[in-house]
Amino acid sequence: TKSAHVQNGFINEALAEITQTLGSVLGVTRSAVWSYQATAKSITLEKQYLAKEEKFVEGGEFFEKDIPTYFKSVAEEEIIVAEDAAAHPSLVEFKTGYLDVLDIRSMLDVPFFLDGKVGGVICCEHQGETKHWTPEE
């Protein structure tokens, strides 16, 4: 919140700073900010930091019709704390073709709010080994 990028409204730079800081502080391999479009029934990748490659990516979209269980969790403002992502009931649609392909073992998804409504999700993913989430995280 003290970042000049955040304070001055430089969204792209702020998202880069936020995702890279999340990756570093939480020690995860992938950290991202996804925006939620209720009317389009989709979430869009605004910015993701890939710690192993030390690079940022953006773009990409998931639609409610393809991952309805996850969208229900987002709409219900659920915080997803998954040490074993493949076994978490809210992530069932990601098991094949995403979690397995990217070797994502653990996930932490936290909704954020704009004007009192879900604006998106901050998603932290850890690859290669299980991450045990602490209450502070």
Side-chain angles (χ1 to χ4, degrees), residues 29-91:
T29 56
R30 299 162 56 93
S31 48
V33 175
W34 294 79
S35 62
Y36 175 64
Q37 285 78 36
T39 54
K41 297 184 179 184
S42 67
I43 57 171
T44 303
L45 180 60
E46 298 298 333
K47 185 73 74 177
Q48 183 173 50
Y49 181 66
L50 306 175
K52 289 180 182 179
E53 295 92 343
E54 296 183 356
K55 73 175 190 176
F56 297 96
V57 295
E58 51 193 60
E61 195 167 28
F62 286 108
F63 294 92
E64 181 178 22
K65 65 181 178 60
D66 300 320
I67 52 171
T69 304
Y70 181 78
F71 266 80
K72 183 176 183 233
S73 297
V74 171
E76 292 177 354
E77 304 174 6
E78 177 184 344
I79 295 173
I80 298 171
V81 181
E83 289 188 8
D84 182 357
H88 196 283
S90 294
L91 302 173

Side-chain angles (χ1 to χ4, degrees), residues 81-89 91 95 99 104-107 130-133:
V81 181
E83 289 188 8
D84 182 357
H88 196 283
L91 302 173
K95 188 174 180 177
L99 297 176
I104 295 169
R105 304 289 176 88
S106 301
M107 285 179 70
T130 300
K131 175 153 177 59
H132 300 285
W133 303 106

